[in-house]
Amino acid sequence: MNIINPHSLKARTIVLFAFINVLALVLLARFSYLFVRNLYLQQFQEQMQTSLRVANNAIDRQLLHFLTVNQQSMAQRYFSQTLNRLDSLLSLENAFIFNDRWQVLNALQRADAVAGLLVNKEILRHLKIGQVFITQPFKGDDRQWYLWAFQRLTNEHFIGLRAGAHQLAQINRLSDYFVWFVLVGVVLTLLAGLYIAHSVHAPIRGITLFSQKIGRGDFSAQPPATRLKEIVDLTRALTNMRDALARRDQEKEQLLAQIAHELRNPLGGIELLIGLVKDDLPPQHADQTYLKKALEEVRHLKEQINEFLEYSRPRPAEKTEVNLSQLVDELKARFAIEMQKKEVELVTHFKQNALRFDRQHLKHILSNLLTNSLQAMNGHPGIIMLRCEQNTLEIEDNGPGIAPENRVKIFQPFFTTKNSGVGLGLTICQKLCALNDATLSLVQNASAGAVFRIQLTTEVS
């Protein structure tokens, strides 16, 4: 299961793209809802103002002074008829007349009128003659939306109207629709973000793998195919770098190979000549010691030259299923005398007993790592552990470990802390691993030893 790294470009692209689009959708939905709602309320309030003007023109102000509370009179009948006509004309939910002592003088629905006064009387107290006050929408006991509209007719009298803003419920449902619209938009945005991020991430991932192969010395690696202009330009630059490095590496390897060949042939003759002179002298002759020493130095020089040749022109990998147990048995036989002398034991723990690798390459790598571990123990008894699982082979020793300042240098060509050798052992091992699509690294280094890991790489696009 692939888990997106939260710090990767892919994750950041998805998050940024999704955030911007979700924010735009939310703002669009919110503003659209508010715009429709405010437009409706503005029109409704204008309608209420028109209703107040109609009511104001229909009322005879001179008769207002004859209105009293709970007293039937001609004025009461007149205003009852007037309010009923207004209700028929304007489709009102309620209409009433009240005085500055907040007493309802005449009303279509008296109890409802009293409730409207109690809620709004503090604002109504400050109204001037002819001034209008329209409330915000509110829900009645029937869960429907209404508005109150008031106007001061005289110093002592007011008129109040209540009308149903029933379309507001439909507009509020529109808010729910906008929520679903945003949710669908979020899903589509995430899908689009994934697509865009993948379209950008996949070429970058390909470029990363391409550059990693170049870094491992695989100059036959091919760049990923892409149509993005920026990635094409980057690919072209990396390809030019690859070709330049390949030419320089080839020139260097040819130079090393030529030098090694030029030195190896004379050294072979010198070795043969010293051997003949040594054989002609009696065993007890004083020069035997010098000749033996000279022969050892010549052979050591030949070994170094062979390392140069192997570094400059390693044999191509021929990968097969390598049986690790059989290979370890061969290594135990090869190093048996030295391990017995140094009291070092080679133990194995294989959960996976086979690796797809060039057998001779793997044997060379393990031989070099075993040699380094034996030399690092410096004659102290110890254990060298070989373990393998999930295409990962590790070799660990309990020697003194590698100094911190040397950990980043040990794979550099010609770096060595030994009195002998040219410092190409680990470099060659790393190069052989690269030829087998594997990496060699120092993954752990404590005071009690070192752990080297051979990891077979799996390329994922």
Side-chain angles (χ1 to χ4, degrees):
M1 179 180 180
N2 292 330
I3 300 177
I4 299 178
N5 186 339
H7 301 293
S8 67
L9 176 63
K10 185 174 184 179
R12 293 181 179 182
T13 301
I14 294 173
V15 170
L16 181 61
F17 183 81
F19 174 76
I20 293 175
N21 283 273
V22 168
L23 181 62
L25 287 171
V26 170
L27 292 177
L28 176 62
R30 184 61 180 171
F31 288 153
S32 299
Y33 164 71
L34 292 176
F35 175 78
V36 173
R37 187 177 187 273
N38 291 336
L39 181 62
Y40 171 73
L41 289 177
Q42 182 180 356
Q43 292 176 346
F44 197 80
Q45 288 172 351
E46 291 175 356
Q47 179 183 337
M48 294 297 290
Q49 288 179 341
T50 301
S51 298
L52 285 172
R53 285 196 296 269
V54 172
N56 189 22
N57 293 331
I59 292 175
D60 188 343
R61 285 176 172 73
Q62 293 180 358
L63 297 178
L64 289 172
H65 299 287
F66 297 101
L67 275 176
T68 57
V69 180
N70 297 327
Q71 181 178 347
Q72 295 297 325
S73 62
M74 291 180 63
Q76 285 282 6
R77 288 194 295 272
Y78 164 76
F79 282 109
S80 295
Q81 292 172 359
T82 301
L83 294 181
N84 282 313
R85 285 199 306 271
L86 290 174
D87 181 35
S88 300
L89 178 64
L90 303 175
S91 300
L92 301 172
E93 298 289 340
N94 195 6
F96 60 98
I97 298 172
F98 58 97
N99 59 25
D100 57 356
R101 293 185 297 277
W102 317 118
Q103 295 172 322
V104 177
L105 303 177
N106 196 291
L108 296 177
Q109 299 180 34
R110 185 173 294 273
D112 180 64
V114 173
L117 290 179
L118 293 176
V119 174
N120 299 289
K121 67 179 183 180
E122 290 302 323
I123 297 176
L124 298 177
R125 192 189 308 275
H126 299 90
L127 287 182
K128 298 179 181 179
I129 296 176
Q131 192 172 0
V132 172
F133 168 65
I134 300 175
T135 67
Q136 291 297 317
F138 65 93
K139 276 188 177 182
D141 295 336
D142 57 358
R143 310 302 296 170
Q144 296 295 321
W145 289 93
Y146 300 95
L147 270 80
W148 286 109
F150 301 95
Q151 185 176 18
R152 191 162 199 156
L153 302 175
T154 66
N155 285 329
E156 298 177 354
H157 297 89
F158 300 79
I159 185 171
L161 305 178
R162 186 182 77 160
H166 304 311
Q167 295 300 322
L168 191 58
Q170 299 296 331
I171 294 175
N172 287 339
R173 290 195 189 97
L174 185 63
S175 176
D176 298 334
Y177 299 149
F178 279 139
V179 170
W180 285 107
F181 170 73
V182 169
L183 291 177
V184 172
V186 168
V187 173
L188 293 178
T189 296
L190 289 176
L191 293 176
L194 283 170
Y195 172 75
I196 293 175
H198 178 74
S199 64
V200 174
H201 173 265
I204 292 178
R205 176 62 176 163
I207 289 291
T208 301
L209 293 174
F210 178 51
S211 61
Q212 287 176 347
K213 289 180 180 179
I214 295 176
R216 295 197 300 264
D218 182 7
F219 300 119
S220 63
Q222 297 300 316
T226 180
R227 296 181 180 179
L228 296 176
K229 181 181 182 303
E230 293 78 5
I231 303 298
V232 169
D233 293 340
L234 179 58
T235 301
R236 187 181 296 112
L238 285 174
T239 303
N240 293 336
M241 182 187 72
R242 177 202 63 185
D243 296 340
L245 288 174
R247 287 193 297 270
R248 290 177 58 186
D249 191 69
Q250 186 177 15
E251 292 171 358
K252 179 183 66 176
E253 291 177 353
Q254 288 176 348
L255 179 62
L256 286 174
Q258 185 175 356
I259 293 174
H261 278 297
E262 292 296 328
L263 292 176
R264 188 166 60 174
N265 292 334
L267 282 176
I270 294 173
E271 181 183 20
L272 178 61
L273 181 60
I274 293 175
L276 292 174
V277 174
K278 183 174 179 297
D279 291 340
D280 289 340
L281 294 177
Q284 304 300 325
H285 196 279
D287 291 338
Q288 281 283 358
T289 301
Y290 301 111
L291 292 173
K292 183 178 179 181
K293 181 65 175 176
L295 197 58
E296 289 177 354
E297 291 297 326
V298 169
R299 288 172 180 171
H300 178 64
L301 285 174
K302 287 183 67 177
E303 289 178 358
Q304 291 183 337
I305 290 173
N306 288 334
E307 284 191 9
F308 278 119
L309 288 173
E310 190 170 10
Y311 171 71
S312 62
R313 293 180 181 176
R315 181 179 59 81
E318 298 177 2
K319 291 191 283 187
T320 59
E321 292 293 325
V322 181
N323 187 300
L324 296 179
S325 297
Q326 293 179 357
L327 186 59
V328 169
D329 289 340
E330 295 177 15
L331 293 173
K332 285 182 177 179
R334 175 178 174 181
F335 290 93
I337 297 176
E338 187 175 0
M339 287 192 294
Q340 183 177 5
K341 180 179 178 181
K342 294 184 176 182
E343 298 182 11
V344 175
E345 182 181 3
L346 177 61
V347 297
T348 59
H349 180 67
F350 294 150
K351 293 183 179 180
Q352 177 183 345
N353 194 44
L355 283 180
R356 186 163 180 76
F357 219 95
D358 183 292
R359 195 177 194 281
Q360 289 303 116
H361 286 176
L362 186 58
K363 185 175 182 179
H364 181 97
I365 294 168
L366 293 180
S367 296
N368 189 286
L369 294 176
L370 281 171
T371 300
N372 289 346
S373 293
L374 288 169
Q375 292 175 349
M377 290 182 177
N378 199 24
H380 297 287
I383 295 176
I384 299 175
M385 166 75 78
L386 271 171
R387 51 180 175 266
C388 181
E389 62 178 320
Q390 298 180 345
N391 285 334
T392 302
L393 179 63
E394 292 183 345
I395 179 169
E396 178 181 2
D397 64 60
N398 59 352
I402 298 173
E405 63 272 15
N406 295 332
R407 295 173 192 172
V408 296
K409 303 177 184 178
I410 56 175
F411 292 108
Q412 295 177 3
F414 309 110
F415 174 79
T416 181
T417 57
K418 303 173 185 176
N419 295 327
S420 60
V422 292
L424 286 175
L426 287 176
T427 307
I428 293 173
C429 290
Q430 199 172 53
K431 196 169 189 178
L432 294 179
C433 282
L435 292 175
N436 288 271
D437 297 318
T439 58
L440 174 64
S441 58
L442 176 68
V443 296
Q444 179 181 336
N445 182 246
S447 59
V451 180
F452 285 89
R453 173 180 293 170
I454 299 171
Q455 174 72 60
L456 270 66
T457 59
T458 302
E459 296 181 8
V460 180
S461 60

